Amino acid sequence: MQWQRSVPRVLAAAAVPAVLLASSLTPASAGEATPRSASEAVFVLDSDHGTFTTGKQGFTGHATGIKPIATYIGKATDTQLLSAGGQKVIADVTLAASPTKNERAAWAASSHFVDVSWPDLHAGRYTVYRDGVRIAVTTGHSLRDTGVRAGSEVSYQISGEAGGLGHTWGLTATVPTADDAATLTRTAQRVEERARGYTKTAVVWRSFIRQKWASVPKELGSISGCKYTRGYQYKGDNRGFSSKVTGPSFRAGLRGVVYWTKSPYDLFPETGWTKVYRNGVEVDRRKASTRGIDFRTRTRFDGKTRAVHGEIEATDPFCPSGGIRRAGIGVFYDARLARNGDFYVSGKYRQAPDHEMYLYGYTSGNRHSTKTVHQSKMRSLLCLSQPACELGTIGNSGGY
């Protein structure tokens, strides 16, 4: 059956110038018992052995061995039917076929469990979320989730920190209604049809100032080289996290769009107004340059997955734009997007101001799904100063 550049640019802070074993599962927090739904996976991705195609097993077998029953190469997804010890499952291997090990992940589902697996990057721990709820923290690189319902769709995110980067994988599993070959084949068709429904994926990063007002930190005021320091206030965005596609105010933003029916992609860089006040009266306003905001694809179009890179580097328009006194927002990320909604993201960011990253999967018109990849609150406005703080790692911070 067939079925690129370096760091991001965002408005310089408008507010500131300057195979898993059950025993390897650990409680999500001190005193919290390991969720009963988390146990040892059997259908585990071997992320060291390239792609998953006909003739290549791609899965690590246990004592009973894992046998591929069928492989379906679609226009939007790739799936397999697998068997081990009499148990049959459907496995989505679209993301597992990525050319880079870090990007690979897969799920395998029966009517009563889902096995999820990802690369072993030697992280100290990996945190696993199901539909936004943390279900496990583990040192392994796979997990069986038995807390699923037959016929449902379940969204997973796995996050870990390794090699100085945050790593997040997103997988949406389709749980079959039964485990016979005919039902699993129909489920594979359903997975393909669902993925074909997506026409484009938008990657959105926004950096914003949560407070209504912000002042230049005293530690930076006299040495910042900024035009407005002591006695002045910068207007913030006065909001919390928002997954709205448009509308929420921000200091700098990057929206990149990948299309699943054509090769070209779009880049929409944007910065907000930096407004300066003194004694409640606006004295000046400017917008930061968008020249340091970039988004580009890194792989050819194939209708299934696309590797992308984004970066944001923006300085306060009233402050030095370079050198030791440079102050502003900085972000870079690398991602592998799949048409079916699965993804991998890694990267770093300067820990000020607040940041949020979302993926929007469009089906028709404005209809879309939303996945929260990253949300982080500002550590300190001092982090806008180039040498002032360590970069944070992009990962799912639990807010999804």
Side-chain angles (χ1 to χ4, degrees):
M1 173 171 49
Q2 281 293 117
W3 332 35
Q4 317 174 331
R5 227 157 84 160
S6 53
V7 180
R9 63 174 168 191
V10 174
L11 154 69
V16 165
V19 159
L20 168 75
L21 296 178
S23 60
S24 69
L25 286 170
T26 58
S29 60
E32 179 181 342
T34 301
R36 291 183 179 180
S37 64
S39 60
E40 181 182 0
V42 172
F43 297 88
V44 179
L45 175 68
D46 179 358
S47 59
D48 290 325
H49 289 81
T51 61
F52 295 75
T53 57
T54 303
K56 295 184 179 180
Q57 185 168 323
F59 281 88
T60 299
H62 286 214
T64 55
I66 293 178
K67 300 177 182 179
I69 301 173
T71 297
Y72 304 125
I73 306 300
K75 291 185 177 180
T77 58
D78 296 334
T79 55
Q80 287 185 322
L81 303 191
L82 306 171
S83 175
Q87 174 66 63
K88 296 182 178 64
V89 299
I90 175 177
D92 188 314
V93 294
T94 307
L95 204 61
S98 299
T100 303
K101 174 182 174 178
N102 288 6
E103 301 171 345
R104 299 170 187 159
W107 59 265
S110 77
S111 59
H112 55 280
F113 69 79
V114 177
D115 284 354
V116 291
S117 49
W118 56 92
D120 181 8
L121 302 183
H122 306 293
R125 65 178 187 175
Y126 299 96
T127 304
V128 183
Y129 301 86
R130 180 221 298 140
D131 294 333
V133 178
R134 183 171 57 180
I135 61 171
V137 177
T138 176
T139 58
H141 58 97
S142 65
L143 176 76
R144 169 162 291 185
D145 179 18
T146 57
V148 297
R149 178 172 50 84
S152 65
E153 289 186 349
V154 189
S155 180
Y156 295 95
Q157 285 194 9
I158 305 99
S159 295
E161 185 171 328
L165 292 173
H167 305 269
T168 296
W169 299 266
L171 298 169
T172 300
T174 299
V175 184
T177 56
D179 299 343
D180 59 279
T183 300
L184 295 179
T185 298
R186 288 194 296 270
T187 305
Q189 293 172 327
R190 176 182 165 192
V191 170
E192 170 71 8
E193 290 168 2
R194 175 180 174 276
R196 286 196 191 189
Y198 288 103
T199 58
K200 63 182 179 180
T201 298
V203 187
V204 173
W205 181 285
R206 290 187 292 249
S207 297
F208 62 97
I209 295 173
R210 179 175 295 267
Q211 297 84 352
K212 186 175 181 179
W213 299 98
S215 302
V216 176
K218 293 180 180 179
E219 297 91 329
L220 295 177
S222 61
I223 61 173
S224 67
C226 299
K227 183 176 180 179
Y228 301 105
T229 56
R230 187 175 181 179
Y232 294 92
Q233 284 188 311
Y234 290 74
K235 193 167 186 178
D237 297 294
N238 192 31
R239 72 171 180 89
F241 298 123
S242 173
S243 61
K244 292 182 179 179
V245 177
T246 59
S249 173
F250 54 86
R251 302 300 81 222
L254 168 60
R255 180 163 61 98
V257 182
V258 168
Y259 299 92
W260 298 115
T261 57
K262 58 183 179 180
S263 180
Y265 62 93
D266 284 324
L267 159 68
F268 301 94
E270 214 175 339
T271 56
W273 286 104
T274 299
K275 299 178 182 180
V276 186
Y277 288 75
R278 187 179 181 89
N279 298 323
V281 178
E282 182 178 330
V283 297
D284 208 345
R285 65 165 62 189
R286 294 181 189 173
K287 276 193 173 184
S289 170
T290 61
R291 287 179 296 178
I293 303 178
D294 191 24
F295 176 88
R296 61 187 64 185
T297 59
R298 287 188 160 176
T299 54
R300 293 182 178 181
F301 169 79
D302 68 1
K304 294 181 184 180
T305 71
R306 204 88 189 261
V308 302
H309 173 76
E311 57 187 53
I312 304 170
E313 192 67 43
T315 56
D316 189 311
F318 298 110
C319 300
S321 59
I324 189 84
R325 295 191 297 181
R326 179 206 173 281
I329 298 167
V331 181
F332 76 86
Y333 65 78
D334 290 290
R336 168 73 65 167
L337 310 175
R339 185 173 181 174
N340 62 9
D342 294 350
F343 66 88
Y344 162 77
V345 174
S346 69
K348 284 191 173 184
Y349 63 97
R350 195 168 291 126
Q351 298 183 67
D354 288 15
H355 305 287
E356 56 189 12
M357 183 179 186
Y358 306 99
L359 298 182
Y360 303 102
Y362 286 84
T363 52
S364 62
N366 292 324
R367 295 181 60 184
H368 64 272
S369 61
T370 302
K371 293 193 175 182
T372 301
V373 179
H374 176 79
Q375 294 176 335
S376 59
K377 291 185 178 180
M378 176 168 54
R379 177 178 175 183
S380 166
L381 283 173
L382 288 172
C383 283
L384 290 165
S385 178
Q386 192 156 268
C389 71
E390 183 179 355
L391 296 179
T393 58
I394 295 174
N396 172 280
S397 300
Y400 121 91

